[in-house]
Amino acid sequence: MRPWGLRAGAAAVVVTAYFLLPLDHLGPQRPLLSWLLFALVLTAVAVLLLRQIRHVLVDRPDSRPGMVLSLLIVLSVHVFSATYYALAKQPGEFTGLHTRVDALYFTIVTLATVGYGDITPRGQSARIVTVLQIAYSFVFLTAAATALTQRMRDMVVRRTGRDRPGSREG
């Protein structure tokens, strides 16, 4: 299977899991479990992102950061979406966030720094998670996107160097 097919398939699994996981059992019913899962999964994704970024920086030839980084970015978005959805079950945390689609929409709008205003974090927990998402995006997702861009640039330079007449590589 081609790399883009694997990426699309893995992303489809993440999206499907987001819509099928029993997120209604989190939130106000199990606040400790909810916060613990959020912290553990987000930390694990951050560690994996940093590992892939390191692989790009040291130019590790056996790594496939294009596949892994893009999947981790998709996973990050869905971790925040799931957290917002669970938080919205608590009265007073959000205005306008009722469904998983609303949570995904809010996550993407926050990530893109658009902020339409139709969904608003009102409670302190919702605002803390929103601030965490913004900081996480600045640090981890920007670094991941930069590393991915650098890897793609390096691949293009290598390929064009091999394709030139008189090139010794090739």
Side-chain angles (χ1 to χ4, degrees):
M1 184 178 256
R2 300 184 80 75
W4 61 266
L6 286 173
R7 267 182 274 187
V13 167
V14 170
V15 172
T16 302
Y18 169 71
F19 283 102
L20 294 179
L21 285 173
L23 299 176
D24 293 320
H25 298 295
L26 297 173
Q29 295 86 0
R30 294 184 179 94
L32 184 60
L33 177 63
S34 300
W35 286 110
L36 186 62
L37 277 173
F38 173 66
L40 287 174
V41 174
L42 201 58
T43 300
V45 172
V47 167
L48 292 171
L49 279 166
L50 289 173
R51 185 171 178 234
Q52 288 301 310
I53 292 165
R54 185 173 51 98
H55 289 179
V56 171
L57 293 175
V58 299
D59 199 24
R60 195 168 154 189
D62 61 334
S63 69
R64 299 201 47 107
M67 177 152 167
V68 178
L69 284 173
S70 55
L71 178 60
L72 290 171
I73 290 169
V74 168
L75 187 57
S76 297
V77 166
H78 285 84
V79 167
F80 280 104
S81 295
T83 303
Y84 292 136
Y85 180 73
L87 271 174
K89 302 293 178 194
Q90 178 72 33
E93 287 297 329
F94 276 97
T95 300
L97 197 156
H98 306 288
T99 67
R100 291 175 199 233
V101 172
D102 291 342
L104 185 57
Y105 163 82
F106 178 75
T107 305
I108 298 295
V109 167
T110 301
L111 179 64
T113 66
V114 177
Y116 294 127
D118 53 343
I119 298 175
T120 311
R122 296 276 185 214
Q124 296 303 297
S125 295
R127 289 179 177 186
I128 287 169
V129 173
T130 303
V131 168
L132 282 173
Q133 181 193 348
I134 293 166
Y136 186 91
S137 297
F138 280 146
V139 174
F140 295 103
L141 299 186
T142 301
T146 302
L148 192 54
T149 303
Q150 181 64 41
R151 174 58 71 100
M152 290 173 24
R153 184 179 303 124
D154 291 347
M155 287 173 51
V156 168
V157 167
R158 284 185 199 132
R159 284 188 181 155
T160 55
R162 272 188 268 149
D163 295 341
R164 289 192 179 138
S167 173
R168 293 181 191 202
E169 301 177 29

